[in-house]
């Protein structure tokens, strides 16, 4: 555990303890059931160390080191829960009051009297300080906390621009025991002050998070960091400075850099990568492709330790050699991504309607995740590396194409994707316009040449590893799917192509009235698709589960009139969408 349980309890040897009934499953349940009047007084049989541990685990965590920006303050919740435990019985109150490490959190959201009491009961233990600068009450709180700054262990401050000057005196004085620091300014308010953080005495800092704030970046100011998060930094940072911080922090576990302008001119290209055996989380976003390249080349990680990696690459950057980046930098992380892809059961390559980048990503319930935001214009360069990282034909080597409302650029990326042997699934969320579907269905039934040859022996089917097609909110006729699959598997039979059988899953919207007349389900077409040699099955369902027993009541005349009226109401919206699409994408 992260606390030292006192060995000698400051309590009477014999003291009655309230024993809740067996229905109580935790300490907080005891608080909720206090009014049941089903208590008994017995001699205490629970060891003091054990009851302290139970109470500690019953309290909500205080993650001020993960407290980003201006989200709700977690500290009052902790204090309220602590006082609730004290109110259960005299035994628990004596345990809580006699254990200093319970009294560790003070924050500006609490009354000054409560904070004073916490400081009195905390002994000489390290403190968690959380302050929001918002006027005179904050000044009174900071004056109180400042008298105990020699005990600061974790501190999180949120400083609006209007109070930056008054906060300077508290941020620039030394705090010798401080190990975790979170410093943030109010969003959309540019910071006015540059702080000489802790008077330059920052060598004890192990966890540093800075959001939209400015500090003096001095050489060798931070060494031995275990987590580093920088976001929305308005200063221009030398890339080599960050690389020096990383090189002096071999125990780094978390690295997150986003929305920072780096100056790459000072990079020492001769520096070898540093080994980070404990690094488990890496996030690089909106910092420029050259900075991403430099930082990745400086890292050597343990593949079995890394649990998440998220990298966003810009659409274009002058003087950035994409081919060299893919060939020399990214392969060092192929083993990491191979393991994460397998543990997540495959990954998705997503294309969105109005985006010029695609996202390769995966996530699972165990906390493993990765994502790469890649420019579509360079997809042909990145795709071979993705295939190498995933592994063709290996267990877990699955990539699903995910088209979200069919971006207009889909026609430019399909020629790159069609020959890939790692694409085993396809997820479609079709747009209103039917023309978006045609290029995809043509690709499904086509052939690809190898090395420019046009002989039958040197051709492979498009998407040769495709096994599933899944669509959400399908509103169109099944005829397109039927024709594409007939052509695809006819070529398999006539040319002896080695492609797997295909499973088709279609979910219709809950409101069938949004469908056009051609989108109404045809059972005859459905039967013909299922009869194609090569189609494993066609599964049709609603987009959300509906409880109850299926009942079908059908009136053709009423149905036709209802669809006609609904489409008339929907037509202005369709026209407006088509007009905006033409204006934004005239090609």
């Amino acid at each position: 555990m992260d606390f030292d349980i006192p060995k000698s309890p400051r309590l009477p040897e014999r003291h009655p303890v309230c024993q809740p009934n067996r229905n109580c499953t935790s300490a907080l349940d005891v608080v909720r059931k206090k009014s049941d009047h089903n208590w008994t007084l017995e001699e205490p049989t629970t060891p003091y160390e054990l009851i302290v541990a139970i109470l500690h685990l019953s309290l909500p965590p205080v993650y001020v080191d993960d407290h980003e920006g201006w989200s709700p303050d977690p500290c009052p919740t902790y204090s309220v829960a602590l006082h609730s435990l004290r109110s259960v019985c005299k035994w628990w109150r004596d345990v809580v009051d006699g254990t200093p490490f319970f009294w560790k959190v003070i924050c500006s959201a609490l009354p000054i009297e409560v904070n004073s009491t916490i400081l009195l009961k905390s002994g000489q233990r390290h403190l968690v300080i959380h302050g929001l600068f918002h006027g005179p009450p904050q000044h009174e709180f900071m004056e109180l906390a400042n008298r105990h700054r020699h005990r600061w262990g974790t501190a999180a401050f949120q400083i609006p621009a209007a109070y930056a000057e008054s906060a300077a005196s508290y941020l620039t004085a030394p705090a010798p025991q401080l190990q975790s620091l979170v410093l943030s300014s109010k969003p959309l308010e540019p910071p006015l002050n540059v702080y000489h953080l802790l008077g330059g005495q920052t060598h004890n800092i192990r966890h540093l998070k800075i959001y939209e704030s400015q500090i003096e970046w001095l050489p060798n100011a931070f060494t031995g960091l275990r987590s580093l998060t920088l976001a929305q930094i308005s200063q221009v940072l030398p890339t080599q400075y960050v690389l020096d911080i990383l090189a002096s922090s071999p125990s780094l576990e978390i690295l997150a850099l986003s929305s920072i302008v780096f100056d790459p001119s000072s990079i020492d290209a001769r520096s070898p990568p540093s080994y980070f055996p404990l690094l488990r989380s890496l996030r690089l976003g909106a910092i420029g492709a050259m900075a991403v390249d430099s930082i990745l080349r400086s890292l050597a990680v343990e593949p079995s330790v890394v649990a998440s990696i998220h990298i966003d690459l810009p659409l274009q950057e002058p003087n950035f050699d994409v081919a060299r980046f893919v060939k020399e930098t990214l392969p060092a992380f192929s083993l990491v991504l191979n393991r994460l892809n397998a543990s997540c059961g495959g990954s998705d390559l997503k294309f969105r309607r109005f985006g010029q980048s695609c996202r390769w990503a995966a996530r699972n319930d165990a906390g493993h995740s990765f994502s790469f935001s890649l420019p579509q214009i360079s997809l042909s360069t990145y795709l071979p590396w993705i295939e190498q990282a995933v592994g063709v034909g290996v267990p877990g080597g699955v990539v699903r194409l995910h088209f979200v409302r069919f971006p207009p650029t889909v026609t430019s990326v399909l020629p790159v994707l069609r020959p890939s042997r790692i694409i085993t699934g396809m997820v479609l969320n079709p747009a209103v316009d039917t023309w978006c579907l045609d290029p995809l269905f043509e690709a499904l039934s086509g052939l690809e040449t190898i090395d420019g040859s046009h002989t039958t022996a040197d051709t492979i089917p498009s998407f040769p590893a495709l096994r599933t097609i899944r669509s959400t909110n399908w509103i169109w006729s099944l005829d397109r799917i039927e024709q594409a699959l007939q052509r695809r598997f006819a070529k398999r039979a006539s040319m002896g192509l080695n492609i797997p059988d295909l499973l088709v899953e279609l979910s219709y919207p809950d409101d069938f009235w949004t469908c056009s007349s051609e989108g109404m389900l045809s059972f005859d077409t459905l039967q013909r698709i299922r009869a194609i040699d090569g189609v494993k099955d066609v599964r049709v369902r609603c987009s959300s589960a509906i409880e109850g027993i299926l009942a079908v009541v059908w009136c053709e005349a009423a149905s036709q009139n209802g669809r006609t009226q609904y489409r008339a109401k929907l037509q202005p919206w369709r026209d407006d969408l088509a007009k905006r699409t033409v204006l934004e994408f005239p090609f």
Side-chain angles (χ1 to χ4, degrees):
M1 293 189 179
D2 59 348
F3 56 90
D4 298 324
I5 298 176
K7 299 300 182 183
S8 301
R10 306 173 187 175
L11 304 172
E13 291 185 3
R14 302 176 66 82
H15 193 287
V17 57
C18 292
Q19 302 290 344
N21 64 17
R22 295 182 180 180
N23 294 327
C24 296
T25 57
S26 70
L28 292 182
D29 286 334
V30 174
V31 178
R32 300 187 186 100
K33 291 180 176 290
K34 183 181 176 182
S35 61
D36 290 349
H37 305 293
N38 56 352
W39 307 82
T40 58
L41 292 177
E42 300 178 4
E43 295 296 324
T45 57
T46 305
Y48 175 77
E49 293 83 356
L50 181 57
I51 190 65
V52 168
I54 292 173
L55 295 179
H56 173 74
L57 294 175
S58 298
L59 290 169
V62 180
Y63 292 126
V64 294
D65 56 324
D66 294 333
H67 187 40
E68 301 185 6
W70 294 67
S71 56
D73 189 347
C75 300
T77 304
Y78 175 89
S79 299
V80 170
L82 183 63
H83 284 276
S84 297
L85 292 180
R86 291 182 72 252
S87 66
V88 172
C89 63
K90 190 175 187 301
W91 167 252
W92 282 21
R93 183 171 66 251
D94 290 343
V95 170
V96 172
D97 291 347
T99 309
F101 78 79
F102 282 138
W103 306 92
K104 59 185 178 181
V105 179
I106 64 172
C107 62
S108 58
L110 296 174
I112 196 69
E113 296 80 7
V114 174
N115 286 320
S116 299
T117 301
I118 293 173
L119 289 173
L120 288 175
K121 294 184 177 182
S122 63
Q124 294 300 314
R125 298 191 62 85
H126 290 173
L127 297 173
V128 177
I129 314 293
H130 187 263
L132 171 62
F133 285 79
H134 51 71
Q138 176 65 40
H139 177 74
E140 187 179 5
F141 166 77
M142 286 305 303
E143 284 296 320
L144 176 65
N146 200 43
R147 293 195 290 268
H148 298 265
R149 69 180 302 121
H150 63 284
R151 294 199 286 136
W152 288 10
T154 298
F157 299 111
Q158 299 172 348
I159 308 172
Y163 296 94
E165 194 68 35
S166 60
S169 60
Y170 303 111
L171 298 178
T172 56
Q177 302 298 321
L178 187 63
Q179 293 191 354
S180 301
L181 176 63
V182 182
L183 186 62
S184 64
S185 295
K186 191 172 182 179
L188 304 179
E189 287 188 5
L192 302 178
N193 285 45
V194 179
Y195 302 111
H196 184 53
L197 199 60
L198 303 182
Q201 299 183 24
T202 56
H203 296 292
N204 285 333
I205 297 291
R206 293 295 174 263
H207 306 277
L208 179 65
K209 290 194 173 190
I210 298 181
Y211 303 91
E212 301 186 277
S213 300
Q214 298 184 125
I215 66 172
E216 293 182 12
W217 297 96
L218 303 176
N220 302 317
F222 300 101
T223 59
L225 291 178
R226 298 189 64 181
S227 69
L228 173 62
T229 300
L230 305 177
Q232 303 289 340
I233 306 297
S234 58
Q235 301 161 286
V236 178
L237 297 183
T239 307
Q240 188 60 46
Y241 181 84
V242 175
L243 298 182
D244 291 340
I245 294 178
L246 299 181
S248 62
S249 305
S251 298
L252 192 70
E253 298 180 28
I254 300 174
L255 175 61
L257 307 174
S258 63
S259 300
I260 305 172
V261 178
F262 281 103
D263 177 14
S265 61
S266 61
I267 297 176
D268 184 2
R270 299 169 297 177
S271 300
S274 301
Y275 181 52
F276 297 89
L278 303 179
L279 187 67
R280 53 187 172 86
S281 178
L282 174 63
R283 184 180 295 272
L284 305 176
I287 63 174
M290 298 185 70
V292 170
D293 183 26
S294 301
I295 292 172
L296 291 182
R297 280 190 292 143
S298 70
L299 302 177
V301 300
E302 181 61 43
S304 61
V305 175
V306 178
S308 67
I309 177 170
H310 301 270
I311 295 176
D312 293 341
L313 294 170
L315 297 178
Q316 293 183 9
E317 185 167 321
N319 304 321
F320 179 61
D321 189 347
V322 177
R324 186 202 59 77
F325 176 66
V326 173
K327 181 179 180 181
E328 299 179 6
T329 304
L330 291 180
F333 294 86
S334 295
L335 189 57
V336 174
L337 295 170
N338 179 273
R339 189 183 70 86
L340 292 177
N341 185 79
S343 67
C344 294
S347 51
D348 293 284
L349 188 60
K350 295 186 177 182
F351 298 83
R352 296 191 177 274
R353 181 171 179 79
F354 297 117
Q356 296 180 343
S357 64
C358 59
R359 180 170 293 271
W360 178 40
R363 179 181 297 274
N364 66 10
D365 294 337
H368 295 162
S369 64
F370 71 86
S371 68
F372 278 76
S373 181
L374 308 172
Q376 292 186 20
I377 194 173
S378 303
L379 183 60
S380 59
T381 307
Y382 286 104
L383 189 59
W385 167 70
I386 295 177
E387 293 178 340
Q388 176 195 7
V390 170
V392 178
V394 301
V398 176
V399 174
R400 296 171 292 269
L401 286 182
H402 196 136
F403 295 107
V404 181
R405 295 189 62 80
F406 280 85
T409 52
V410 68
T411 54
S412 64
V413 300
L414 279 177
V416 179
L417 299 170
R418 288 170 62 169
S420 177
R421 296 182 179 273
I422 62 170
I423 297 174
T424 61
M426 192 176 294
V427 182
L428 315 177
N429 187 350
V432 175
D433 305 299
T434 57
W435 60 266
C436 296
L437 299 172
D438 295 333
L440 179 63
F441 290 134
E442 291 176 4
L444 280 174
S445 58
L447 296 175
E448 293 295 318
T449 59
I450 302 176
D451 298 330
S453 174
H454 295 281
T455 64
T456 302
D458 293 327
T459 58
I460 60 173
S462 297
F463 304 109
L466 190 65
R467 296 179 180 273
T468 60
I469 296 179
R470 181 179 295 110
S471 177
T472 59
N473 295 319
W474 182 261
I475 58 176
W476 303 116
S477 169
L478 296 178
D479 293 340
R480 289 180 174 84
I481 295 181
E482 179 187 7
Q483 295 167 8
L485 297 184
Q486 283 178 343
R487 291 194 298 265
R488 179 179 180 87
F489 291 108
K491 291 178 180 178
R492 181 180 79 165
S494 62
M495 303 174 64
L497 301 177
N498 184 21
I499 56 176
D501 290 347
L502 198 60
L503 171 65
V504 180
E505 296 184 358
L506 303 176
S507 67
Y508 280 77
D510 296 338
D511 186 0
F512 278 92
W513 298 108
T514 60
C515 298
S516 61
S517 57
E518 66 168 342
M520 300 307 290
L521 182 62
S522 169
F523 290 99
D524 292 337
T525 307
L526 182 62
Q527 289 293 90
R528 290 197 301 270
I529 296 176
R530 285 175 171 165
I532 296 175
D533 183 16
V535 174
K536 183 184 297 185
D537 194 8
V538 180
R539 300 173 184 172
V540 181
R541 58 183 178 85
C542 289
S543 57
S544 61
I546 301 176
E547 296 182 357
I549 301 174
L550 177 64
V552 178
V553 179
W554 187 259
C555 175
E556 185 64 34
S559 174
Q560 185 63 37
N561 292 335
R563 290 200 304 271
T564 302
Q565 295 174 10
Y566 192 88
R567 288 200 302 274
K569 293 181 180 180
L570 201 63
Q571 192 59 41
W573 174 76
R574 294 173 183 261
D575 295 340
D576 180 66
L577 178 62
K579 186 185 300 182
R580 286 189 287 109
T581 303
V582 171
L583 289 176
E584 296 186 31
F585 300 94
F587 53 85

